[in-house]
Each structure stands twice: as C-alpha cells, then as structure tokens.
Amino acid sequence: MSMVPVPAAYAPGARRKVLIFTPEAVFKPHSGAMGLIGMALKAEGHEVLVAYCDHQFQRCIARARMPVGTPRQADNPTCALCVRVADAIRRRYGLGTLDLATLITPEDEAKAEAVTAASADPRMAEHEGFRLGRLFMHDLILVHKLAPDDPLDADAEHWLKEGVHTGVLTVEALRRAVEREGITDILVYGQYALNMLACDLAARYGLGARIVISASHNGVDRRFIQIQPYEYREFLADILDLWPANRNRPLSPEAVRAIGDDVITRLSAVSPHTYSPSKTFQDDDIRKVLGLDPGCKLVVAYTSSMDEIYAQDMLEEGMRRSGRLALHDLFPDQMSWLTTLLEWMRRRPDLQLVIRIHPREDVNRRDGVRSSHLKRLREGLASLPANVHVVWPQDAVSSYDLMEAADLVLNAWSSIGIEAARLGIPTITAFPRLLCSPIGPQINEPGPAAYLAACESLLSWTPDAAVITCAYRWYQESIFGGALSVADVVTEADFEELPRSLVPAGTAEIALATLAGQPIQTLRAERPSLPSAGAAEAEALELRRQLRRIIHFLFTGTRDMVSVLRVLPDGFPPVHSAPPGVALLQMEGNLCTYVFGSRTSRRHSPLVARIARLAVCPQDTAGPSAGGVAPESRGVQLG
C-alpha cells in the first residue's frame, strides 16, 4: 500500500483536509453532529468532505439489522434516505461531498468476493492486514447479543461475510480517497466496525482520526459532543490520568444542577437509553413486593450485559490495541463474582441478596433479542440460598426501587454503580477496569477475601457528603471533561432532524479537539482555570439543594425544587401538612414520612434516611411552624 505524507502537527492557520466518513448518514443525530463540526472546521479555514457510499455497502451501520441477503440497491428505502441526508448535509452546511461508489471498481468487488470466499472462519478474515472479521464481530455481537465462543448459525455467518465484503470495499475506497484527495484527517461517529476500520486505515497512513459521540447525559444530550482520538476505554484512561489533579476541583453550581438533572432522569427511566423500568412512587415496600424479610439488611447486586464487553474486547483485538487502564478487576468473570456472593449469603443468613440481572440480557423496549449469556445465567443461578432472590430482565421491577431500598449496592461494571454513588449509597464495583471508574473502595487484592471484607465494612458505613461530592465530580469529568458545547445551535437535548445551519461558537476549540494530536481534556489540563474564592462552599450549597430535590422526587415523582427541608426530631408528633415551600420529613429508622403541602407519603427508604441530614442547610434557622409546634423550639434541624 502506498503512503501519503503524515500531516504536520496542528497549528491554527495550517490548512487541513478532513474527510467525514458517514456510512450512517441516515441517522440524523449522528450526521447532524458531524455537519456542525464540519461547519466549525470550515470556519477555521479547513476543507471538509462528507463521504457516503450510495448503496455500495452491504453491512453499514444503517443496514446492521436488515435480513441477510438484502440486495444492495439504490431504491432500498434506507439507502435512498441515506443519500438524501448526505446531500442535505452538503446543502445545509456548505460542505463538499464524496460519493465512495465512484471510487469502487469491479476489481474491488472481485477482491471482496475472494477474501470472503477464502475465509473458512469469517471471524478471522483479513485484508491487507486489516482484521475485518474481528471488527465486524463487534457489530454482530451487539446486534445478536452473542458471546465470542458461540457457534455461528447460518444467518450470523452470512451476516459476518457480508461485513467482511463491506470491509474490503471500504478499505479500497478510502485508500483511493486519501491518495487522490490528499486527506489529512478522518472523522467518524461512534465505535462501529466500519468507522473503526476507517480509523485503522487512518493510522496506517499516519493521518489524524477522531471519533465523535454525543454526551451520555440525561440519557443522551446532543448539545454536547465528545471528540475522542481513540476508542472509549482509552478515552477514559486519559480522564483517569487527570483525575488526581481534578478530584479536588469544586464544581460550579450550574454543573451540580446539571448532574442533579441527570440523577432524576435516570430514576425516571424516561430515556430510551435506560433499560430499567421507571422508579415507582407509591407507598409500597419493595421488600414486601419481592417477599423479602424486613428484618434483614438488603444487599443488591447488579449484573452487566456481557455482549457489550465481548464486543469491546473484539474491537480492541481488531484494532490491535489493549487497554492501558491502571485499574484491575477483582474476579476472573461475572459468574465467579456471583458465585462468591452466593457463598457469602450462605454464611450470612442475617443478610438478604437480590441479584438484578441486567435488562439488556433479554428482549426489552430497545430491541427484541435475547442474549446467549442469559441461558448461562439461568443455569448458574438455578440453585440459590433461601436468602437470595433473582430479579430477571422480564420481571416488572425497577432497578431504582431496589437501589432506594438497598443497604449496600454491589455492581459488576454497569454505570448504575456511579448512579448509586451519587445518591450516597455504599457501593463496590467488582470490575472497575471495565467500568473505568475510580469511585468506591480501592481494593488492591483480587479475589473474594478482600472484596468481601470491603462489603462487610460498607454495611456499617456512615453517610459522607464528601463521597457524594466525589461521585458528582467524577461524572462531570467523565462526561464533560472531554466534551464541547454546541448548545448555541442545538437547543434541545435530542433531535430527529438536522440542526440549524449556524456555525457553532468555539470553532477554534472544536478545530483543536478534532485536529490536534491530544484529546481535548489533556489540552484543557495544560491551561487549568483556578477555582474562585468560595467555590467549594457554593458547590456544597448546591449539592444540598439537589439532594433535597432528589428526596422530593422520590416521594412525589416531580422535579420541583424544595427551598427548605426540615427533618423532624424523634418523638415529634405526626404532622399532616407543611407550610408553603417547606417539606417535612419524619424518620423511624428507614421508614420515612414526607409531608409537602397537604400531601403525605410514607415509604421504606434507606436512601432517604441516609442522605436527609446531608440535604439540610444549617444557615436557615427560622421558619414557619409545623403542625402548630415551632420545630426550632424542639431541636429540629432546619433546611
């Protein structure tokens, strides 16, 4: 393969030629984000081309779920729409386009057929050193929820061969595009097989390559885009490298409020990106619903969906990369972890364990596929101690109802571990390398002994605002530390149509993130801003406000802000109404009674009992009476 010159290090004013590779242009939230980046680059003096395939690719992202054997035809509705969207990007954002179909020759088609036919096992198929089979196994695993060692049925094998065929055509078309057009950088959206193949080709040529995704805030927030120079684990490794310097940096009140929004959005499960059913707000006790012993502490273990990890591992193998995270997992696999928990419960009849199987493992509201791993889970969890209950994916139980009732959350590697930490729930992650998070106890010794010792310790953990603050700060760094705002153009968190044709503000930073050799969070770290005087106090004040808001949401299901929360002392007479703007909370152990206006709610909530006294504002020492008795005269903590 011939080579093109390696582009010089990025400097403002140095003109680059960027190829936006969008085989999934039909997905307007993806292509719209790419169009806005293209406009920003063009405003900074760079040339931008948008590449599309015009029905040449059998297994592009838009065709991933089509039946095998679906013809490559221009009149295919998805392909036709994809071409129209690519043309709309050209017209709306003033960018050039490149039809890859014009670069694919009959000889390329013959090569693709030969490579496909020559592969006895399409998982191992390669073309000119590109590991096409492994890359497309990433997409196949996600589409069919497979394990790497699952035998491929006829449809899956056919699907994978179509992917290999597409991969050969992609390599040949992009190679010609790079050489003929003088491309210096390639930009893709998301970690799909074709896109990572484009990044791999860029690395082969010494070009710049960037992966764009929308921030996973409030489910998804397309007002913020992350521009990553490599796959997601490597991106988070950079965030982890910077964490020691950032963990003590106070958040602005605006950032704390935004994270509070995300907490409530997750609890609501309104986003299609959340698999669990929504939190419930009735005065029911989830322990009674599941037939649990109200006299025993509740440990909740959340499993994670294996296919997403299998797919990521396959992607790294296809790219010849290995994660460089300094974190280590505590168990060899998820089933070993669950087995350890079962043995622990057999020795601790005074505890009870609920294992929440990740809803993605079965048919769910996002897809109609059952994972092959679910069968293994059912076999592994067929014989349980009496104090263990399994919530299967199809059970109508909210992960968040379990979280509210939990005395301890044990997490495999799901993001729910960070969600629990933000709510002040004692949490341990068994596979921190897979979650890529420093939150929770740092256990340096793999295996059951050290892990279970940490579990025992956390069962008597005292709530600490510093732990919640740390979880908020980590969320801010992991989601927004490498993100850029286009909120001046994209005014809604999600959209189905292409954004307006306005050049986003901050074009210089967008160009820097896209074209410089370092990720934006590293570049930002080189010019840190100093926190203002009183920043830590402002952060703490806003965190208390958000905790009050979360407590209010847990009892009412509304997002309203409560100005004052009063935690009534032990022995205070029952109250049935509260003054305007004031919420009253009475607690008998973990049984919490919440009064707001004339509404009274009563529920078992270790979560609320844990964070209530962290939510009050000490400086507010006066206010209306409750139930005719002035709370401040009875030693009440005031909000």
Side-chain angles (χ1 to χ4, degrees):
M1 181 182 288
S2 59
M3 301 293 284
V4 295
V6 176
Y10 177 69
R15 192 168 186 268
R16 304 280 275 267
K17 191 167 186 178
V18 181
L19 182 70
I20 294 179
F21 181 61
T22 57
E24 79 287 9
V26 67
F27 299 133
K28 294 178 183 178
H30 297 194
S31 52
M34 304 294 266
L36 292 178
I37 294 172
M39 285 188 74
L41 295 175
K42 184 178 177 182
E44 289 293 309
H46 307 290
E47 186 177 354
V48 181
L49 295 176
V50 177
Y52 62 99
C53 79
D54 196 3
H55 76 275
Q56 296 301 303
F57 295 160
Q58 186 76 45
R59 281 295 161 202
C60 69
I61 302 147
R63 294 172 59 102
R65 296 186 184 275
M66 288 185 186
V68 296
T70 301
R72 294 181 288 156
Q73 296 177 177
D75 60 354
N76 179 288
T78 298
C79 294
L81 178 58
C82 201
V83 172
R84 290 199 300 272
V85 173
D87 186 60
I89 292 172
R90 174 187 64 80
R91 290 182 285 104
R92 176 165 296 196
Y93 303 121
L95 307 176
T97 54
L98 178 63
D99 182 358
L100 295 177
T102 64
L103 302 179
I104 296 173
T105 67
E107 290 77 17
D108 298 332
E109 290 281 358
K111 282 183 185 178
E113 293 291 343
V115 171
T116 303
S119 303
D121 182 352
R123 287 174 286 199
M124 306 306 294
E126 295 190 14
H127 173 57
E128 295 191 6
F130 294 102
R131 294 179 168 179
L132 304 180
R134 295 168 181 82
L135 289 175
F136 277 91
M137 271 298 293
H138 167 272
D139 290 9
L140 180 64
I141 287 171
L142 291 178
V143 169
H144 293 281
K145 298 183 183 175
L146 300 175
D149 57 350
D150 287 341
L152 299 182
D153 61 23
D155 269 6
E157 184 170 331
H158 192 166
W159 190 104
L160 190 55
K161 287 181 177 180
E162 290 177 343
V164 171
H165 186 282
T166 298
V168 174
L169 297 184
T170 300
V171 168
E172 297 302 323
L174 286 181
R175 177 177 58 79
R176 291 192 185 94
V178 167
E179 293 176 347
R180 294 179 185 181
E181 298 290 339
I183 300 299
T184 61
D185 301 87
I186 294 178
L187 196 63
V188 302
Y189 188 102
Q191 291 190 167
Y192 306 102
L194 268 185
N195 291 348
M196 300 310 290
L197 177 58
C199 291
D200 206 7
L201 182 136
R204 181 82 63 91
Y205 274 99
L207 310 180
R210 291 292 182 270
I211 305 163
V212 176
I213 61 171
S214 296
S216 56
H217 174 67
N218 288 329
V220 64
D221 193 336
R222 303 195 189 281
R223 296 171 299 174
F224 298 91
I225 52 178
Q226 293 177 338
I227 303 178
Q228 306 169 4
Y230 18 64
E231 68 269 20
Y232 193 56
R233 283 184 189 166
E234 283 287 308
F235 170 76
L236 280 180
D238 278 329
I239 301 286
L240 279 168
D241 288 344
L242 298 170
W243 178 237
N246 291 328
R247 66 178 301 156
N248 295 319
R249 186 178 297 276
L251 302 180
S252 69
E254 293 78 15
V256 176
R257 281 195 291 274
I259 298 170
D261 286 341
D262 183 79
V263 171
I264 291 178
T265 296
R266 303 280 177 173
L267 293 171
S268 306
V270 294
S271 168
H273 298 269
T274 300
Y275 286 95
S276 169
S278 171
K279 181 83 185 63
T280 62
F281 306 101
Q282 295 82 11
D283 292 350
D284 290 337
D285 187 337
I286 189 64
R287 299 174 304 172
K288 185 182 298 183
V289 173
L290 297 178
L292 303 177
D293 185 345
C296 295
K297 284 192 172 184
L298 176 60
V299 179
V300 180
Y302 293 90
T303 70
S304 297
S305 53
M306 288 299 304
D307 64 292
E308 293 172 307
I309 294 301
Y310 293 147
Q312 179 67 27
D313 290 342
M314 195 61 66
L315 192 67
E316 291 180 0
E317 188 177 336
M319 296 284 288
R320 293 182 171 84
R321 289 183 181 270
S322 59
R324 61 176 182 84
L325 290 168
L327 301 169
H328 63 271
D329 297 332
L330 306 178
F331 296 89
D333 54 56
Q334 187 163 237
M335 203 62 233
S336 299
W337 170 62
L338 292 174
T339 300
T340 295
L341 296 184
L342 297 183
E343 290 302 317
W344 183 38
M345 288 299 112
R346 288 188 175 98
R347 299 192 302 270
R348 290 294 305 269
D350 58 317
L351 301 176
Q352 54 196 340
L353 171 68
V354 172
I355 301 173
R356 193 349 168 184
I357 304 300
H358 198 291
R360 180 181 158 80
E361 296 278 15
D362 207 339
V363 174
N364 57 76
R365 62 178 176 171
R366 290 185 62 178
D367 62 64
V369 181
R370 176 170 294 150
S371 77
S372 64
H373 182 247
L374 184 61
K375 180 181 178 182
R376 303 181 191 188
L377 285 170
R378 290 193 181 277
E379 292 170 352
L381 298 174
S383 178
L384 301 173
N387 57 342
V388 176
H389 183 96
V390 178
V391 174
W392 296 99
Q394 292 297 320
D395 293 341
V397 175
S398 171
S399 298
Y400 300 107
D401 285 338
L402 292 171
M403 185 186 290
E404 181 182 9
D407 295 288
L408 174 64
V409 162
L410 304 179
N411 178 43
W413 59 84
S414 168
S415 60
I416 207 165
I418 296 172
E419 295 173 40
R422 293 187 306 187
L423 290 166
I425 303 170
T427 306
I428 303 179
T429 295
F431 300 87
R433 183 185 65 86
L434 298 182
L435 179 58
C436 306
S437 167
I439 301 303
Q442 302 303 298
I443 304 171
N444 297 318
E445 179 185 338
Y451 176 80
L452 292 180
C455 292
E456 295 282 359
S457 175
L458 282 187
L459 280 169
S460 57
W461 179 71
T462 301
D464 186 347
V467 173
I468 302 176
T469 300
C470 187
Y472 268 59
R473 290 177 182 175
W474 170 252
Y475 178 87
Q476 174 71 16
E477 287 302 313
S478 62
I479 299 298
F480 295 110
L484 300 165
S485 173
V486 291
D488 55 318
V489 179
V490 181
T491 57
E492 300 294 331
D494 205 355
F495 58 83
E496 296 300 326
E497 298 299 325
L498 294 175
R500 297 173 295 169
S501 57
L502 298 176
V503 178
T507 57
E509 190 173 40
I510 291 174
L512 192 66
T514 308
L515 304 176
Q518 292 179 294
I520 192 64
Q521 63 269 21
T522 303
L523 296 168
R524 286 171 173 169
E526 293 174 355
R527 49 178 194 278
S529 57
L530 296 176
S532 60
E537 291 79 4
E539 176 191 47
L541 181 63
E542 186 58 40
L543 181 59
R544 286 195 291 269
R545 294 180 75 245
Q546 292 307 314
L547 292 179
R548 294 199 298 276
R549 182 184 175 208
I550 290 165
I551 291 171
H552 186 73
F553 176 80
L554 290 171
F555 283 101
T556 68
T558 67
R559 292 172 172 254
D560 302 333
M561 178 60 71
V562 177
S563 299
V564 179
L565 172 67
R566 292 182 175 169
V567 180
L568 303 181
D570 295 342
F572 198 93
V575 295
H576 304 289
S577 63
V582 175
L584 303 176
L585 182 64
Q586 292 181 290
M587 296 183 293
E588 303 170 45
N590 290 326
L591 184 60
C592 301
T593 301
Y594 188 81
V595 182
F596 186 73
S598 60
R599 175 176 178 175
T600 300
S601 301
R602 185 177 174 87
R603 63 191 296 142
H604 173 76
S605 182
L607 191 164
V608 171
R610 194 179 294 115
I611 65 173
R613 299 189 187 279
L614 302 177
V616 297
C617 295
Q619 68 269 28
D620 184 5
T621 57
S625 64
V629 180
E632 55 269 29
S633 70
R634 298 286 297 272
V636 174
Q637 285 191 288
L638 300 176

